[in-house]
Amino acid sequence: MKDLDRYVTIIGKPEIDEIKSLGKYLKGRRVHHINSTKSGGGVAEILQRLVPLMESLGIKATWDAIEGNAEFFDVTKMIHNAMHGQEVDFSPEQMEILEQTNRQNEKLLDEPADITIIHDPQPLPLVTFRREKKRPIWLWRCHIDLSEADYRVWGALRHYVEQFDGSLFHLPEYSKGLGIPQYILPPAIDPLSEKNMELTLEEVQTTVDNFGIDPEKPYIIQVSRFDRLKDPVGVIEAFRMVQEWHDVQLVLAGGSASDDPEGVKVLQEVREAADNDPDIHILDLPPTSHIEINALQRGARIIIQKSLREGFGLVVTEAMWKGKPVIGGAVGGIKTQVIHNVTGFLASTIEGTAYRIRQLLANPGLSDRLGHAAKEYIRSNFLLPSYLKNWLLLLLQQEHMGERITFLD
Amino acid sequence: MADPFKICSEVGLVVHTNYKAESLKSFLNGLKKVSGSSIFYHVHHALLRRHFATSDHMNDFARWVLEALGQSILSERLASVDPMGTRSVREARNQLVSFVSEYVGGGELFFRVAEGKEFHFLELHSLIVPLKTVEPDLESFYHALKKATLGTFFFHMIEAPIRLAKHSNDFSEWLITDLGEDELAAEIAHLNPYMYNLWELKAKVLQCVRKRLKEDWQQ
């Protein structure tokens, strides 16, 4: 129980005890997660945390990644892009590569398991072995926004999905009208990770100083890749409107754009829009800068996520967890997290964003109210223990199919 | 002989009904056709999900009508459906349907939303987990409630009376039947969860029990 007990100070003992009570019903169940990589990316990151927590409750949780050659991963990258709505040229030969690689990974299913959980599209064809391997329950966890998925590629994969017992999506908007149950299971953040753990005031101040941000002047921040869909130039335009009223700084902190030609271009546009303004800090940070981002968010007065399109938006979850007032674009999962005027503000335009920034800068009481509600909303719904609880529920539900209310003995 | 109280908690799994509405017309159809479990999720369960927002206990339907359709008058009426003022999910559904039907009237004003802003009807599969058995005395009950989660308060005070068609909340029923504490039971039954957030509700229930315990101690 040691792992789960680390969260007692964050969500309270009663909540942890409730999760342990649920876990008792699943003791000894063999749960096998399969995805496409053990390192890198959000799926591996969440599994690295989820699997040990399941184990700590007595569930025999295991995790494997399918192996494939470069050709296979080219195909899966193409599928990934198509799922995100990009038009791709997907041929029957590429489908064959996907299926063949999955056949080669069939040995992953040799050990018995009560519940097999496939993450994302890459290992989908493994489900064709469900009878042969005598594995009774199969669930598909989709971590991708499928709402704009290329219909040809999705059409080719759908028949695999419909061989599962259930599918899991982050948001209702991602569901696909399937003939199997579609569970809504939002993602979560780990409050103990480097990105989210508590920092001392000194650590925050040191980071702020290191980046050359004036500690005497408040700053607003947007943390995001340099990507047009995150509208960094729009943020600068909103900031210009705010500057007429407030002496304030703007920080745009983004991931490294060196391997992304489009990112390099956007970063250039952002620098041009900033026009060497000493109050605008553009930080092109390496992907390992978790503590730095954490400190920058904690030091900010307001956090912005002015996305034009967004997945669930875990960066917003992280911002809200730090008790900051967030102004977010009214898109994707931001709408689920930011309840307008309760846990933050939603804004769809540059002018609207500027107005909300001004309102928050002028009204610390309002900032405190929104920031406090934001933190509590995340605490109740989008932290790792809640995510684990939802998984336990889902696993238990498989043993009580067809019931809308189940009383556990 | 008095029976112990079994403290439970509600944990809910959310499932898509495969039904979504892009206009008031399809929204009305959805309200009529979806399962009671879906109505319960969007009206009652919203209390648990957004329990921290004391003054903003809007159910999901009212919120969508306001945010996606911009229909503030209809939204206000939908928000007035008090989950605790309706004795069953069916009654809540009837109220919602009548408000939307009246608003739409015989006209053709169906207020269509942009793509991506549809209302997704979800439903709740609830698992009720037994957490603790409390000895049939008020002091044990008080200490157990102090340590209980908000899910416990949601289940015993909201879900059980509405979804399991009980006359009152579980706490009040047990206080009458097993402890003969009719006055305290009435006091707790009088608390309307719709008027508070769940923390406040928990604090109020505890306050009622504490007050009663103090009377005992003073005697």
Side-chain angles (χ1 to χ4, degrees):
Chain A
M1 293 294 181
K2 211 179 155 195
D3 279 329
L4 196 51
D5 285 336
R6 291 165 65 212
Y7 297 91
V8 163
T9 52
I10 297 167
I11 61 165
K13 194 167 179 305
E15 293 289 343
I16 296 294
D17 287 344
E18 188 177 290
I19 295 172
K20 287 179 184 173
S21 298
L22 271 174
K24 282 181 197 154
Y25 294 93
L26 290 160
K27 227 170 203 159
R29 298 288 191 289
R30 295 158 302 186
V31 177
H32 188 194
H33 294 269
I34 303 176
N35 79 325
S36 64
T37 174
K38 282 260 183 177
S39 59
V43 181
E45 203 177 301
I46 196 85
L47 284 173
Q48 276 159 11
R49 293 178 161 84
L50 181 67
V51 171
L53 284 178
M54 283 184 165
E55 282 179 305
S56 76
L57 292 170
I59 297 169
K60 290 180 181 157
T62 50
W63 168 26
D64 283 300
I66 52 169
E67 286 172 11
N69 56 21
E71 209 180 17
F72 168 71
F73 286 104
D74 283 344
V75 170
T76 60
K77 185 158 190 196
M78 185 186 266
I79 291 174
H80 186 87
N81 291 340
M83 294 291 106
H84 275 108
Q86 257 184 46
E87 226 174 273
V88 297
D89 205 5
F90 194 62
S91 66
E93 290 73 30
Q94 284 160 326
M95 193 65 192
E96 176 52 29
I97 291 169
L98 178 78
E99 286 169 343
Q100 194 191 353
T101 308
N102 273 273
R103 281 197 294 273
Q104 287 161 357
N105 279 277
E106 158 214 357
K107 60 185 181 304
L108 292 178
L109 304 172
D110 284 348
E111 293 291 319
D114 300 303
I115 301 179
T116 309
I117 300 161
I118 299 294
H119 294 262
D120 280 344
Q122 301 92 333
L124 265 177
L126 283 178
V127 72
T128 53
F129 291 100
R130 62 177 295 171
R131 280 217 186 107
E132 190 183 316
K133 301 288 179 179
K134 295 189 177 118
R135 287 183 164 214
I137 299 171
W138 286 68
L139 299 170
W140 182 51
R141 177 28 148 175
C142 179
H143 298 262
I144 306 170
D145 172 359
L146 294 185
S147 52
E148 304 273 327
D150 180 288
Y151 69 95
R152 287 161 303 176
V153 179
W154 170 245
L157 297 175
R158 186 179 176 128
H159 75 282
Y160 289 120
V161 174
E162 296 213 313
Q163 293 177 50
F164 282 76
D165 298 285
S167 54
L168 292 83
F169 297 96
H170 284 167
L171 290 169
E173 291 83 347
Y174 298 176
S175 63
K176 295 299 281 181
L178 296 166
I180 56 170
Q182 299 171 95
Y183 302 101
I184 308 302
L185 204 119
I189 56 165
D190 184 354
L192 300 177
S193 69
E194 287 187 344
K195 283 182 190 172
N196 300 302
M197 63 189 192
E198 289 294 330
L199 297 175
T200 62
L201 195 59
E202 200 185 344
E203 285 170 313
V204 173
Q205 280 168 348
T206 307
T207 307
V208 169
D209 287 345
N210 288 346
F211 285 114
I213 300 163
D214 181 352
E216 302 302 320
K217 222 189 268 189
Y219 67 89
I220 53 183
I221 188 169
Q222 172 159 302
V223 176
S224 69
R225 291 193 317 272
F226 292 102
D227 177 332
R228 287 201 182 86
L229 292 176
K230 311 294 175 192
D231 200 16
V233 174
V235 175
I236 293 178
E237 286 176 37
F239 176 71
R240 297 279 186 223
M241 294 176 189
V242 175
Q243 271 182 315
E244 290 173 24
W245 299 82
H246 296 273
D247 191 15
V248 63
Q249 304 171 88
L250 171 68
V251 177
L252 291 170
S256 169
S258 56
D259 61 343
D260 172 13
E262 187 68 13
V264 173
K265 224 166 135 188
V266 176
L267 182 56
Q268 187 52 35
E269 288 168 15
V270 170
R271 288 201 167 117
E272 280 165 21
D275 195 22
N276 293 319
D277 185 333
D279 282 330
I280 301 180
H281 306 269
I282 298 161
L283 311 178
D284 184 8
L285 302 173
T288 49
S289 313
H290 302 316
I291 295 182
E292 288 81 358
I293 297 278
N294 184 347
L296 287 169
Q297 286 175 318
R298 287 181 189 278
R301 185 72 67 87
I302 299 163
I303 302 185
I304 299 177
Q305 189 62 35
K306 204 197 155 309
S307 301
L308 304 174
R309 189 162 174 225
E310 190 59 76
F312 186 80
L314 281 177
V315 68
V316 170
T317 325
E318 286 160 5
M320 290 168 72
W321 174 240
K322 280 143 197 148
K324 298 291 169 181
V326 172
I327 303 169
V331 290
I334 300 178
K335 284 185 295 177
T336 304
Q337 300 180 72
V338 176
I339 303 168
H340 187 66
N341 204 16
V342 178
T343 61
F345 283 130
L346 290 172
S348 303
T349 61
I350 290 166
E351 293 78 6
T353 305
Y355 170 68
R356 294 301 180 189
I357 296 171
R358 284 175 50 203
Q359 199 181 3
L360 288 169
L361 286 173
N363 193 338
L366 175 65
S367 287
D368 289 347
R369 172 172 69 80
L370 298 182
H372 176 75
K375 184 160 188 168
E376 293 313 317
Y377 192 39
I378 301 306
R379 194 196 305 276
S380 306
N381 295 287
F382 305 114
L383 293 186
L384 191 60
S386 301
Y387 188 69
L388 171 69
K389 185 160 94 173
N390 279 334
W391 269 105
L392 300 179
L393 265 173
L394 179 76
L395 301 179
L396 273 167
Q397 169 71 19
Q398 302 311 307
E399 298 174 10
H400 299 275
M401 287 307 283
E403 297 172 19
R404 289 217 172 101
I405 303 185
T406 301
F407 288 86
L408 298 172
D409 296 324
Chain B
M1 190 166 146
D3 282 331
F5 185 83
K6 207 193 249 181
I7 289 201
C8 298
S9 185
E10 190 268 359
V11 277
L13 189 62
V14 183
V15 192
H16 204 292
T17 61
N18 262 343
Y19 195 90
K20 57 183 181 178
E22 74 293 331
S23 69
L24 264 189
K25 189 183 180 187
S26 53
F27 180 61
L28 181 57
N29 279 338
L31 286 177
K32 288 176 183 168
K33 285 179 187 162
V34 292
S35 64
S37 171
S38 178
I39 302 288
F40 180 81
Y41 175 73
H42 291 297
V43 175
H44 305 79
H45 202 259
L47 284 178
L48 182 60
R49 279 176 283 130
R50 294 194 286 269
H51 62 81
F52 51 85
T54 319
S55 59
D56 209 59
H57 270 164
M58 234 186 217
N59 62 57
D60 295 343
F61 299 132
R63 190 171 292 282
W64 179 73
V65 165
L66 181 67
E67 288 173 1
L69 293 172
Q71 300 303 309
S72 58
I73 293 171
L74 178 59
S75 170
E76 199 174 298
R77 296 195 81 190
L78 294 174
S80 75
V81 176
D82 178 345
M84 305 316 292
T86 48
R87 262 170 281 160
S88 64
V89 174
R90 181 177 299 173
E91 210 178 306
R93 185 205 298 268
N94 289 344
Q95 271 195 24
L96 294 161
V97 166
S98 86
F99 286 150
V100 181
S101 301
E102 270 175 40
Y103 195 77
V104 172
E108 294 297 313
L109 296 168
F110 292 141
F111 310 104
R112 192 170 288 274
V113 296
E115 206 182 321
K117 303 232 176 204
E118 299 90 350
F119 186 85
H120 292 260
F121 284 89
L122 308 174
E123 62 181 20
L124 190 71
H125 290 197
S126 300
L127 270 96
I128 313 303
V129 201
L131 294 176
K132 194 178 163 71
T133 303
V134 183
E135 287 305 307
D137 68 81
L138 211 50
E139 197 157 346
S140 306
F141 180 62
Y142 175 73
H143 290 296
L145 285 191
K146 244 175 116 172
K147 291 180 190 156
T149 62
L150 298 182
T152 288
F153 281 81
F154 179 78
F155 173 67
H156 290 297
M157 293 202 70
I158 300 172
E159 184 153 21
I162 298 277
R163 244 177 148 190
L164 306 177
K166 294 190 173 181
H167 292 300
S168 182
N169 69 76
D170 285 345
F171 299 150
S172 296
E173 280 204 350
W174 180 75
L175 286 167
I176 294 171
T177 317
D178 291 282
L179 295 192
E181 292 281 354
D182 295 23
E183 218 173 287
L184 175 60
E187 214 178 326
I188 292 174
H190 194 65
L191 298 171
N192 181 343
Y194 199 44
M195 298 296 123
Y196 314 106
N197 67 39
L198 288 179
W199 285 317
E200 288 169 342
L201 181 70
K202 178 176 176 177
K204 295 233 176 249
V205 172
L206 284 170
Q207 194 185 7
C208 292
V209 183
R210 197 167 48 233
K211 198 177 85 192
R212 177 70 190 87
L213 278 170
K214 264 191 187 165
E215 286 168 14
D216 269 359
W217 295 331
Q218 280 162 1
Q219 276 172 13

